[in-house]
Structure formats: structure tokens, C-alpha cells
Amino acid sequence: SVTAAFTNKYEPAQRTLTIAKTVDGNMGDKNKDFAFTLSLEKNSSAYTEAIAYTKGETTGVLTAESGEYSFTLRHGESIVLTLPYGCEYTVTEANGNYDVTITPEGGTPIESHVLTGTLTADTQATFLNELDVNTPTGLFRTMAPYVIMTGTALGAILLFILRRRRLS
């Protein structure tokens, strides 16, 4: 009789979620760190295991605090998160006063600071923050009193002339 021994090892499938950051606009701060949070669910339960990441030349592990992972990105940076296949993800940016547009790779841009989806393939999205401020010229506020005074003076002159003609 022959005996055979088999060892099975299950390795869960992993996928990557890449989040890139771009800042634009005349008041966009390209040196600012923008804060992000990531929430995960796997099989309808919160997923809080440590996850691997690569950010530029740095690799490491993110751990969930209070059920969320936190990271920051600056203009031109991106982070690659290695997540379990089939995870439902929610990436939220605390953007402050910026207008945010998220563009999923190959998708339609959405105006939101929240990205959601189910990770069944390697996925990439770019968060674009724009902040444009029109330069206040103060033209209206500085000219308004003079326009009102000139209008009042012209009105008074016109009234004076009309009354004088009636008396003549």
C-alpha cells in the first residue's frame, strides 16, 4: 500500500488600490499634506487587519485605528494599498475648502471627496483638489460712495434748475 501526503496552503488573492493626489488652482497649496481615511468591509464585516502600502520609495504597513486606516498625500504623490480581493472600500478625503474631483482610472470624473467600490481588480483613482480665488479689486466698494455722491449732486442740480425755470 502507498501513502501520499498533501499539504494545502491557502493564500488569499490580493489586489491593489492606488490613490493619487493632484492640486490645482491659483490658491492650491502643492506643499500641503491632505488627510485621507480608508474604511474596509470584507464579507459584510469590518476589515481591520494590517495592510501593506507603498508610497514613493517607502513601504510599510497601515493599521486600523477605530476601524479606519489613515494616510496623507501631497501634490504629485500616490499610495499603493494592497488589499484582499473583494473588499468593499471607502476612501474619504478631509479636503477643507477645496473643490474635489475624483477620476477613477478609465472612469467618469465625479465631484466628491468620497470614493467607494469593490476591489475585484487592481484599481487606481486620482483625487484632484482645486482652489481658485478671484482677486478682490475692491472696485465696487471704493467707487460706490463716489457714484452715490455724484448722483445725488447731479439730482440736486437738476432739481434746482427745474424749480428755477418754474419760478421764471
Side-chain angles (χ1 to χ4, degrees):
S1 151
V2 177
T3 305
F6 295 95
T7 303
N8 292 328
K9 182 178 179 186
Y10 171 74
E11 291 192 32
Q14 303 288 311
R15 296 291 183 257
T16 59
L17 174 62
T18 303
I19 304 297
K21 168 52 91 206
T22 303
V23 178
D24 198 9
N26 62 10
M27 292 300 290
D29 187 352
K30 294 186 177 185
N31 296 313
K32 179 181 177 178
D33 286 325
F34 292 88
F36 290 83
T37 57
L38 168 69
S39 300
L40 299 173
E41 278 192 18
K42 179 78 172 151
N43 300 324
S44 299
S45 297
Y47 184 87
T48 57
E49 300 294 319
I51 58 173
Y53 75 90
T54 302
K55 182 177 169 184
E57 300 293 319
T58 305
T59 59
V61 175
L62 290 178
T63 55
E65 294 184 27
S66 301
E68 294 182 328
Y69 305 86
S70 298
F71 58 93
T72 61
L73 292 173
R74 286 185 179 190
H75 172 72
E77 289 185 330
S78 63
I79 188 168
V80 180
L81 306 160
T82 304
L83 306 173
Y85 177 89
C87 250
E88 294 177 26
Y89 60 86
T90 301
V91 180
T92 305
E93 179 184 8
N95 64 321
N97 58 345
Y98 284 78
D99 294 327
V100 180
T101 303
I102 303 170
T103 306
E105 183 179 36
T108 304
I110 55 173
E111 291 184 18
S112 176
H113 64 278
V114 179
L115 175 69
T116 59
T118 302
L119 199 61
T120 56
D122 291 345
T123 302
Q124 180 175 349
T126 301
F127 281 68
L128 167 64
N129 288 33
E130 291 184 275
L131 183 58
D132 283 311
V133 176
N134 294 327
T135 306
T137 60
L139 208 60
F140 181 73
R141 279 188 269 161
T142 56
M143 287 183 58
Y146 299 108
V147 169
I148 292 170
M149 286 189 305
T150 303
T152 304
L154 290 175
I157 292 171
L158 186 61
L159 185 62
F160 178 75
I161 292 172
L162 289 175
R163 285 191 175 210
R164 194 148 202 225
R165 282 191 176 175
R166 284 187 188 167
L167 294 176
S168 307

